[in-house]
Amino acid sequence: MKRILLLFSAAWLFAGRVSAPAQETGQEKEKRMQWFAEAKLGIFIHWGIYAVKGIDESWSFYNGYISYDDYMEQLSGFTAARYDPDAWARLIRESGARYAVLTTKHHDGVALWDTGAGELSVVKKTPARRDLIDPFCRALRNQGLKVGLYFSSLDWSHPDYPIFTSKEKRYADDPVRWDRFLAFHRRQLEELATRFKPDLLWFDGDWDFPAEKWNAKALRDQILRWLPSVILNSRLNGYGDYDTPEQGVPILPPGSRYWELCMTMNDSWGYQGNDRNYKSPNQIIRIFADCISMGGNLLLDIGPKADGTIPEEQVQILRALGQWTRKHAEAIYGTQSGVSPYYFRGPTTLSKDRRTLYLFLDSRPVGPIVVKGLKNKVNRIRVVGDGTKLSYKVIGKQYWSEAPGLLYIDVPGDVLDRQVTVIALLLDGPLDLFPK
Ligand code: H79
């Protein structure tokens, strides 16, 4: 009987299938996603050999801006000589981020850990000569931060990946080679999952093939067996937990309950010394306020140099962000999306108990600000992180109509934050809007 069972399960394995774990309930997912939904801000880190010449990560050879061999010459310049993961973690924490996501392997196939699944790693091929992932995970955890690991599913360096560059394909259809690639892919993920036990896996590069070819569903199930509470972004051919818009700040709230905008500080993911087109702290803070107002997170990217130091401009932006997030913490962490712009013309968030509405003022008001359609009575209005109480009045309320009046709030110039001012409205009960 035992033998029959064994044969049976082996047959399942060979069919490339795994029995799916019991379907997670909505409540269970909410619990698994809780830290992510409350965190709001994460730091993305693109670190790889592309920092040596300061060129596009992987895409520079894929698009033919540099030959593959010249690209790979960067291996000899990747020293990580001044890599200080504790300093990274302190800076990330100081920015107000609650998690970070580091590239363990970009599309170029160069692993930042000592992979046993291939030869191409910074351990075996660069003067860094050591695993860079484990110390990163430890440093983050020491600072109370959640650990995210980025992993590119496609690998333009692997001899069994069908695509090499935009012009050169290795093969079109060869199930044996593809299965070999999938085994390699699975093995690298097993290493990442079991060695580093990340809280989040950030997939990229799933677009060449459909979910069935990647075995995405089975892979998701397998990862959740390795790491039952891990969170996955959506780039596992849709078998993820949250939406992953890239660079484009959403105009309308994305439909999904969980999402995260990933965005560069300048125009590059990795370190490119020539790219000085940095967004200002003010622009970044306003984008961040927009994201949390619509119930999403911001994953803001930095690109360390090949020696492991973080460029000064990026340090300055993280510090400025930290000043603002510290002062306004109560309006950020653990909040939920606020009211639509019909009610207030700016970003808003709502406290967990729905009794405090936060208004984000991203410009200097020329008169009192106004909130429309608020049925609640307001108990108190104050400036977040400042303590000043503000005076307000309701105008236009008619006793014979259900429609609430307009709430006018005076905001004197001397309470304004130099970035974005936040006003807290303490309501008499859970937020109640008109019309229902
Ligand atoms: O790591 C950073 C980028 O290198 C990577 N994701 C971020 C986080 C990335 N860069 N570009 N993209 C992802 C978008 C991919 C664009 C594509 Fe296409 C357009 C994929 C499919 C259509 C053009 C055509 C490139 C490949 C095929």
Side-chain angles (χ1 to χ4, degrees):
M1 181 61 186
K2 248 189 195 149
R3 188 170 293 175
I4 294 175
L5 267 178
L6 262 175
L7 273 174
F8 202 65
S9 44
W12 272 89
L13 279 175
F14 280 118
R17 264 178 273 169
V18 273
S19 51
Q23 192 55 46
E24 182 182 45
T25 67
Q27 247 182 354
E28 282 162 347
K29 175 162 183 187
E30 200 165 310
K31 197 159 162 242
R32 190 164 53 86
M33 298 300 291
Q34 190 181 351
W35 72 259
F36 179 82
E38 293 182 352
K40 307 300 177 188
L41 183 63
I43 300 299
F44 211 170
I45 307 170
H46 274 70
W47 196 29
I49 63 167
Y50 35 88
V52 173
K53 293 188 198 233
I55 56 179
D56 283 348
E57 68 292 346
S58 313
W59 295 94
S60 50
F61 75 81
Y62 178 87
N63 288 324
Y65 301 160
I66 185 172
S67 73
Y68 181 76
D69 291 345
D70 287 350
Y71 181 91
M72 283 299 164
E73 265 181 17
Q74 295 177 109
L75 286 164
S76 64
F78 190 77
T79 65
R82 298 173 66 197
Y83 177 39
D84 182 350
D86 293 310
W88 282 19
R90 282 194 302 272
L91 180 64
I92 290 166
R93 197 172 117 95
E94 191 188 329
S95 76
R98 297 274 164 100
Y99 63 107
V101 180
L102 173 63
T103 48
T104 63
K105 185 181 91 166
H106 204 262
H107 312 329
D108 61 12
V110 182
L112 268 66
W113 80 100
D114 193 8
T115 178
E119 295 302 305
L120 192 50
S121 73
V122 298
V123 186
K124 294 200 174 96
K125 302 279 188 195
T126 75
R129 286 187 58 201
R130 64 192 193 282
D131 161 52
L132 304 173
I133 302 299
D134 187 57
F136 170 78
C137 300
R138 285 173 196 278
L140 287 189
R141 293 199 164 108
N142 280 339
Q143 290 292 328
L145 300 165
K146 296 285 186 186
V147 174
L149 298 180
Y150 168 108
F151 179 78
S152 169
S153 282
L154 68 78
D155 185 326
W156 291 326
S157 281
H158 196 280
D160 289 316
Y161 192 73
I163 294 165
F164 177 33
T165 68
S166 63
K167 298 227 167 66
E168 283 176 77
K169 313 289 164 229
R170 293 194 175 89
Y171 62 91
D173 188 27
D174 186 336
V176 174
R177 288 181 79 175
W178 178 250
D179 282 350
R180 238 175 9 221
F181 180 75
L182 277 190
F184 160 80
H185 179 256
R186 179 75 65 104
R187 205 168 144 205
Q188 286 205 320
L189 278 167
E190 180 172 12
E191 290 176 349
L192 292 177
T194 56
R195 284 189 207 173
F196 310 121
K197 301 185 172 51
D199 303 294
L200 187 156
L201 273 171
W202 211 101
F203 284 93
D204 203 3
D206 62 353
W207 52 72
D208 289 328
F209 306 105
E212 304 75 56
K213 189 154 172 178
W214 281 113
N215 240 332
K217 164 97 175 65
L219 183 60
R220 178 192 165 86
D221 292 345
Q222 175 62 71
I223 292 168
L224 281 159
R225 279 196 298 272
W226 286 323
L227 300 167
S229 56
V230 77
I231 293 174
L232 309 177
N233 76 333
S234 61
R235 296 190 187 168
L236 192 61
N237 304 91
Y239 282 96
D241 298 309
Y242 68 86
D243 270 7
T244 316
E246 179 166 326
Q247 297 286 25
V249 184
I251 308 298
L252 301 174
S256 55
R257 164 103 161 71
Y258 304 103
W259 60 273
E260 173 200 64
L261 168 70
C262 60
M263 187 182 79
T264 51
M265 284 185 175
N266 49 7
D267 296 318
S268 316
W269 293 100
Y271 172 67
Q272 300 201 22
N274 279 328
D275 180 355
R276 299 198 181 84
N277 192 26
Y278 282 96
K279 299 166 183 76
S280 67
N282 183 267
Q283 288 166 334
I284 292 171
I285 289 167
R286 287 164 69 171
I287 289 168
F288 177 49
D290 241 3
C291 289
I292 62 178
S293 175
M294 295 186 281
N297 289 7
L298 175 65
L299 184 64
L300 182 66
D301 183 70
I302 59 173
K305 299 181 186 176
D307 67 359
T309 56
I310 300 174
E312 192 50 30
E313 297 97 320
Q314 304 184 4
V315 172
Q316 291 314 323
I317 288 174
L318 292 179
R319 295 223 164 106
L321 203 52
Q323 265 189 3
W324 187 82
T325 52
R326 258 193 308 285
K327 179 176 169 188
H328 301 99
E330 63 164 282
I332 301 170
Y333 308 106
T335 61
Q336 47 195 303
S337 59
V339 298
S340 94
Y342 290 115
Y343 295 92
F344 176 73
R345 288 187 194 164
T348 52
T349 60
L350 193 58
S351 62
K352 208 170 245 176
D353 65 5
R354 305 182 67 82
R355 285 164 178 262
T356 304
L357 179 65
Y358 296 101
L359 313 177
F360 293 69
L361 312 189
D362 54 14
S363 51
R364 180 173 279 271
V366 290
I369 58 169
V370 62
V371 178
K372 300 189 280 183
L374 187 62
K375 283 168 83 176
N376 299 87
K377 189 175 153 295
V378 173
N379 287 338
R380 183 188 302 135
I381 299 184
R382 65 190 162 78
V383 182
V384 173
D386 174 287
T388 309
K389 279 183 259 176
L390 299 182
S391 58
Y392 55 94
K393 66 177 173 198
V394 175
I395 68 160
K397 172 71 185 140
Q398 304 297 321
Y399 74 88
W400 43 262
S401 165
E402 253 196 274
L406 305 173
L407 174 69
Y408 274 85
I409 308 164
D410 287 316
V411 185
D414 60 356
V415 303
L416 294 179
D417 186 87
R418 54 189 288 246
Q419 301 296 357
V420 169
T421 311
V422 184
I423 310 291
L425 274 58
L426 181 63
L427 311 174
D428 64 346
L431 176 77
D432 193 9
L433 295 175
F434 178 86
K436 262 275 172 273

